[in-house]
């Protein structure tokens, strides 16, 4: 069984600020670092660091060589990453003294996916293979339809949520990984139990993992619900903590671990990511997660 992650690759321009800017304000930052990121790339690296062989498909633009190098250094298969003219996907990220962040995204090359390219990539995969998607590339609906026609298992992290997702047939998704905000955007419900109940009624066959920040996470499928708390650490930067959780939880599924073990593994991995700066740079190796106490 092969796993394909069709997703974004971004250059993250991360600024340290005393507080997150308010409208109309000008504020000096105390530091700036450029990290490799993008929800797609982060999740591929998390999978690779967890020990899974993952194929990443996507597009990089000018300055994107470092994103490809980072993939390769971490063992991600990049045969389906294309380099095109024009700007690379990038973000401006503010991180404040409490490690909270806000992210301004420019899609760039990530928005240049063509249907021909999707067909070319999917031709390499077959029934039973897994495809992981986020919402930072274009043609998501087409990818979902074509992957479903092939009989691939579709895992979706609908992040960031926007109305492009309303045009996708999400009933073809087998597993959703969402945070509370995305859960609200999908269901209109705010309470975790209500979000889970609504997802169950709209997508009765889908499994869901709902992450709840400091309240941990909840997994639900047709038969069971599991809850997992967080591992408390000193937070430095929360960027990519959710992506780390996603990558490690999917790794646990691919390794046939129990849901309880998988949630624990993912919670430990994301705790380590929160304690470090940057996106891909903060994602721990499997050995580090295993050595993490508690
Ligand atoms: O989830 C974190 C990621 O979101 C960052 O790396 C940034 O690129 C945005 O895509």
């Amino acid at each position: 069984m092969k796993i394909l992650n069709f997703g974004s690759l971004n250059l993250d321009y991360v600024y340290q600020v005393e507080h997150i800017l308010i409208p109309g304000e000008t504020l000096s930052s105390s530091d700036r670092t450029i990290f490799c990121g993008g929800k797609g790339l982060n999740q591929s690296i998390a999978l690779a660091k967890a020990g899974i062989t993952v194929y990443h498909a996507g597009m990089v633009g000018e300055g994107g060589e470092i994103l490809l190098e980072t993939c390769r250094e971490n063992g991600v298969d990049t045969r389906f990453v294309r380099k095109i003219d024009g700007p690379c996907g990038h973000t401006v990220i503010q991180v404040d003294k409490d490690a909270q962040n806000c992210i301004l995204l420019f899609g760039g090359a990530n928005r240049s996916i063509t249907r021909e390219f999707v067909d070319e990539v999917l031709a390499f995969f077959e029934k039973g293979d897994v495809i992981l998607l986020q919402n930072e590339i274009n043609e998501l609906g087409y990818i979902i339809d074509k992957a479903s026609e092939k009989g691939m298992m579709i895992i979706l992290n609908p992040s960031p949520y926007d109305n492009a997702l309303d045009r996708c047939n999400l009933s073809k998704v087998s597993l959703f990984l969402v945070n509370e905000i995305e859960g609200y955007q999908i269901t209109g419900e705010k309470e975790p139990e209500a979000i889970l109940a609504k997802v169950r009624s709209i997508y009765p066959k889908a499994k869901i993992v709902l992450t709840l920040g400091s309240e941990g996470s909840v997994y639900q499928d047709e038969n069971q619900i599991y809850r997992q708390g967080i591992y408390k650490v000193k937070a430095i930067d929360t960027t990519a903590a959710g992506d780390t959780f996603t990558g490690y939880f999917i790794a646990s599924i691919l390794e046939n671990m129990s849901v309880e073990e998988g949630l624990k593994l993912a919670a430990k991995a994301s705790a380590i990511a929160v304690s470090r700066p940057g996106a891909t740079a903060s994602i721990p190796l499997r050995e580090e997660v295993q050595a993490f106490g508690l």
Side-chain angles (χ1 to χ4, degrees):
M1 186 216 306
K2 298 193 281 292
I3 173 152
L4 165 67
N5 183 5
F6 214 133
S8 60
L9 306 97
N10 292 334
L11 294 166
D12 288 345
Y13 293 80
V14 181
Y15 296 82
Q16 296 296 326
V17 289
E18 218 268 332
H19 61 266
I20 306 283
L21 282 167
I22 58 168
E25 183 180 19
T26 301
L27 181 70
S28 289
S29 55
S30 58
D31 192 25
R32 187 198 76 165
T33 316
I34 304 172
F35 288 108
C36 295
K39 293 185 197 303
L41 174 57
N42 297 340
Q43 292 176 21
S44 281
I45 300 242
L47 278 159
K49 286 191 174 180
I52 301 294
T53 302
V54 56
Y55 297 83
H56 191 98
M59 303 264 184
V60 295
E62 285 146 15
E65 294 77 12
I66 189 167
L67 299 170
L68 273 164
E69 275 163 33
T70 300
C71 282
R72 289 177 187 140
E73 275 165 16
N74 286 285
V76 175
D77 191 308
T78 57
R79 73 183 74 186
F80 300 118
V81 180
R82 299 283 178 268
K83 168 112 181 35
I84 60 166
D85 292 335
C88 210
H90 63 265
T91 61
V92 174
I93 302 182
Q94 299 174 41
V95 178
D96 75 8
K97 59 181 181 354
D98 300 318
Q100 291 306 306
N101 68 19
C102 70
I103 302 179
L104 175 66
L105 176 65
F106 178 74
N110 296 310
R111 312 290 313 172
S112 304
I113 308 295
T114 62
R115 294 188 174 195
E116 292 69 28
F117 179 54
V118 173
D119 293 344
E120 180 194 328
V121 172
L122 292 185
F124 185 74
F125 296 90
E126 56 206 358
K127 186 176 167 65
D129 288 342
V130 175
I131 182 166
L132 168 62
L133 299 162
Q134 312 77 29
N135 188 31
E136 289 188 341
I137 57 169
N138 63 315
E139 291 293 1
L140 204 60
Y142 183 77
I143 298 172
I144 289 174
D145 291 346
K146 290 292 161 182
S148 171
E149 273 171 27
K150 284 197 92 109
M152 294 177 79
M153 174 191 174
I154 301 171
I155 302 179
L156 176 66
N157 168 221
S159 180
Y161 194 92
D162 64 26
N163 56 15
L165 286 160
D166 299 338
R167 296 191 291 276
C168 298
N169 186 347
L170 300 187
S171 65
K172 295 175 177 175
V173 173
S174 297
L175 169 65
F176 291 95
L177 292 117
V178 300
N179 65 23
E180 265 171 309
I181 298 169
E182 293 142 8
Y184 168 67
Q185 289 164 320
I186 292 173
T187 64
E189 301 287 350
K190 286 198 170 143
E191 293 304 316
E193 281 68 29
I195 294 172
L196 291 169
K198 193 76 174 276
V199 170
R200 173 119 319 278
S201 71
I202 312 174
Y203 306 110
K205 291 201 187 113
K207 302 174 170 74
I208 175 172
V209 176
L210 176 64
T211 55
L212 302 164
S214 60
E215 298 302 309
S217 56
V218 191
Y219 167 94
Q220 171 184 272
D221 65 22
E222 283 165 291
N223 310 310
Q224 52 195 350
I225 290 191
Y226 289 106
R227 290 168 206 285
Q228 171 67 48
I230 60 157
Y231 292 90
K232 287 214 172 98
V233 290
K234 180 170 166 27
I236 300 295
D237 180 356
T238 56
T239 311
D243 299 327
T244 304
F245 187 100
T246 295
Y248 267 86
F249 185 72
I250 295 170
S252 80
I253 295 176
L254 298 172
E255 290 178 3
N256 293 318
M257 287 168 68
S258 70
V259 172
E260 284 158 298
E261 284 176 321
L263 288 176
K264 205 165 272 179
L265 182 79
K268 287 183 181 181
S270 64
I272 298 173
V274 164
S275 70
R276 299 171 174 174
T280 57
S282 71
I283 300 170
L285 290 165
R286 184 69 173 253
E287 303 85 85
E288 296 175 284
V289 181
Q290 265 149 359
F292 187 76
L294 308 166

